[in-house]
Amino acid sequence: MLIDVTRSLFIGLGQNALIFVVTMILALPLGLCVTFGEMAKFAPLRYGMRTFVWMIRGTPLLLQLFVVLYAPGLLFDLPFRNRILAALIAFVINYACYFAEIYRGAIENIPKGQFEAGQVLGLSRRQVFTHIILLQVIKRITAPIGNEVITLVKDTSLARVIAVPEILMHATEYTSRGLIWPLFYCGVFFLAATAIVTLCFGRLERRLTRAFGEEPM
Amino acid sequence: MLSVKNLCKNFGDYIAVDNVSFDLADGEALAIIGSSGSGKTTILRLLNQLETLDSGKIIGGPCGLVFQDFNLFPQYTVLGNLTLAPRLLKKPYDQAESILDQVGLLEKRHNYPSQLSGGQRQRVAIARALMLQPAVLCFDEPTSALDPSTTGEIVKVIQALKGRQTMIIVTHNMDVCSSLADRVAIMEKGRLRWRQKA
């Protein structure tokens, strides 16, 4: 029985992993684009982007999953047939907005003198950003992004509400047959996944600390 | 040679620099003193294009700037801080080690800013500014972030440049003024007054 349950949960976990990996690959760079929009000098773009980020951060991901799945059908008579694709779109947009706020906070907290020092040395804005600011931003965002990524690991189970057959959905199939323990067993999978993420981010943080000539704590 | 003519800069209603003019001969060192908010730093920022002029003219340059709080790049070693800009601007950078030798930091070239003392960081900031061979090197309160013993260390480095590097030094420290400057100007409410050197 344990083997059957484990096999079934691993199949579900594949969907969680897919959502996790695609969200990470797309939301991290998309978040940077959103940040540039939020910090743009062109006011309509800046305010438009900030309003969008406010809407995404101000509503539950659960609700956004329903909106992405049902809104095209209701508004344009183009029903979404691919549920995993709908989940991926909702996750990528949601996490890009959270990442964007983390990036924005980090960029705004880089001392103004770092930008000015580059400018005085005759570097272009692009050179200042890529060669001076970016690594400092990466160092500052590693811990908060790590937190978001751990939340993402757990949030992937929300895809269940639009019937993406992820791990919890597989577990609840056993519950409906009177078997409750597979549901609790899911926790082991999530714990293992968050442990891996925590270890990876810990290692990255230590490496970045050393890259600045500091000793990791 | 640097020639500054009728420089004006306002921030809203606040007049930061009010019709300032001066000339600086090659190798000359000018010290600007004055209370906080008198516009001394704004002049350096205008010379280094960190602020835009409201009116006036700056003839000469390019200028370099040594910041009050160093502004070294923490992710680069001492050598990396010196070579970054020339490397990206495709200018020569093989003089880095000899400049570091001049400021007495050659043995620290592979250290990161976080591993240096305040005085050493300021010396790196000076060396970094020298890399691009500026016509005029500006110092914004070069000793205000340092303790008295380290101040002497920085004064010596700047003194060694005297005569061969045109310099503008903004400072509160009268000792720095008297030991480094050929001419002293007092900044008051955005205006520059000249003073005989003590």
Side-chain angles (χ1 to χ4, degrees):
Chain A
M1 189 63 185
L2 179 67
I3 292 169
D4 278 350
V5 171
T6 306
R7 190 178 295 137
S8 169
L9 294 189
F10 261 116
I11 292 168
L13 190 65
Q15 297 287 297
N16 297 71
L18 177 68
I19 295 169
F20 176 82
V21 170
V22 173
T23 304
M24 287 293 284
I25 290 172
L26 298 181
L28 283 169
L30 185 63
L32 199 58
C33 298
V34 175
T35 305
F36 290 142
E38 282 189 297
M39 298 176 81
K41 286 197 174 133
F42 184 56
L45 175 64
R46 187 172 67 243
Y47 288 119
M49 206 52 97
R50 286 189 182 184
T51 306
F52 180 71
V53 169
W54 167 72
M55 284 169 65
I56 295 295
R57 292 174 76 219
T59 53
L61 175 57
L62 196 78
L63 185 62
Q64 290 159 19
L65 284 161
F66 287 125
V67 170
V68 174
L69 184 66
Y70 295 120
L74 291 170
L75 296 175
F76 312 109
D77 204 22
L78 292 167
F80 229 125
R81 307 239 179 259
N82 190 335
R83 287 169 184 272
I84 185 74
L85 184 61
L88 289 173
I89 291 170
F91 270 86
V92 168
I93 292 173
N94 181 282
Y95 272 85
C97 289
Y98 277 94
F99 290 152
E101 283 302 287
I102 293 172
Y103 297 150
R104 187 166 70 88
I107 293 171
E108 286 177 350
N109 278 312
I110 299 285
K112 199 176 153 205
Q114 290 289 303
F115 294 89
E116 291 185 341
Q119 195 184 330
V120 164
L121 291 169
L123 304 181
S124 66
R125 280 168 67 96
R126 181 183 289 257
Q127 286 172 325
V128 170
F129 186 79
T130 52
H131 295 275
I132 297 169
I133 305 302
L134 189 60
L135 192 62
Q136 296 186 49
V137 169
I138 291 171
K139 184 173 184 260
R140 281 163 193 252
I141 64 171
T142 309
I145 290 282
N147 280 336
E148 283 301 319
V149 173
I150 287 172
T151 307
L152 172 62
V153 169
K154 296 173 286 181
D155 273 358
T156 53
S157 62
L158 286 174
R160 171 175 176 259
V161 298
I162 56 167
V164 173
E166 52 72 60
I167 187 169
L168 275 180
M169 197 169 189
H170 279 257
T172 48
E173 278 172 20
Y174 289 98
T175 315
S176 60
R177 284 186 253 154
L179 209 59
I180 192 83
W181 66 263
L183 200 56
F184 303 140
Y185 186 34
C186 284
V188 176
F189 289 79
F190 282 107
L191 280 174
T194 50
I196 293 167
V197 169
T198 307
L199 280 173
C200 290
F201 272 86
R203 184 171 280 196
L204 182 62
E205 271 185 68
R206 283 193 295 278
R207 184 172 281 198
L208 281 168
T209 305
R210 282 197 203 97
F212 282 68
E214 296 160 10
E215 275 306 308
M217 295 228 284
Chain B
M1 151 110 194
L2 179 78
S3 185
V4 170
K5 302 220 183 292
N6 310 108
L7 222 56
C8 290
K9 178 70 187 175
N10 298 348
F11 294 106
D13 293 337
Y14 179 72
I15 302 166
V17 176
D18 186 7
N19 203 27
V20 165
S21 300
F22 62 87
D23 290 318
L24 212 53
D26 285 340
E28 195 179 5
L30 164 70
I32 303 176
I33 55 173
S35 54
S36 297
S38 59
K40 323 181 286 290
T41 298
T42 308
I43 289 188
L44 298 191
R45 293 177 64 83
L46 289 168
L47 290 173
N48 283 279
Q49 295 167 14
L50 291 174
E51 304 289 349
T52 49
L53 291 170
D54 286 348
S55 63
K57 215 174 198 181
I58 298 166
I59 303 159
C63 295
L65 177 61
V66 177
F67 293 87
Q68 183 176 1
D69 42 7
F70 329 130
N71 289 335
L72 298 181
F73 308 131
Q75 72 271 41
Y76 291 102
T77 60
V78 167
L79 201 57
N81 264 275
L82 265 68
T83 56
L84 177 70
R87 203 161 41 80
L88 293 174
L89 299 171
K90 299 189 171 38
K91 289 185 176 173
Y93 54 88
D94 47 5
Q95 72 278 27
E97 297 208 342
S98 76
I99 291 178
L100 277 177
D101 200 23
Q102 273 178 50
V103 300
L105 281 177
L106 187 58
E107 75 283 6
K108 298 279 184 189
R109 61 190 180 280
H110 298 306
N111 286 49
Y112 287 87
S114 62
Q115 298 163 333
L116 303 176
S117 68
Q120 289 170 334
R121 286 180 204 181
Q122 187 61 296
R123 281 188 278 159
V124 176
I126 295 169
R128 185 177 69 179
L130 287 170
M131 280 295 288
L132 294 169
Q133 297 165 331
V136 181
L137 185 53
C138 305
F139 295 85
D140 187 12
E141 306 274 7
T143 58
S144 68
L146 307 172
D147 59 56
S149 62
T150 321
T151 297
E153 198 181 290
I154 297 304
V155 169
K156 267 188 206 159
V157 171
I158 303 175
Q159 229 157 16
L161 297 170
K162 218 179 146 185
R164 56 195 172 93
Q165 173 71 57
T166 313
M167 297 187 281
I168 300 176
I169 306 154
V170 159
T171 182
H172 275 122
N173 188 323
M174 293 309 289
D175 292 340
V176 171
C177 231
S178 56
S179 58
L180 295 175
D182 299 313
R183 268 196 299 165
V184 179
I186 303 165
M187 195 86 188
E188 226 170 38
K189 292 180 181 166
R191 285 179 168 269
L192 209 59
R193 283 194 294 115
W194 295 98
R195 197 188 92 162
Q196 286 303 310
K197 202 187 152 192

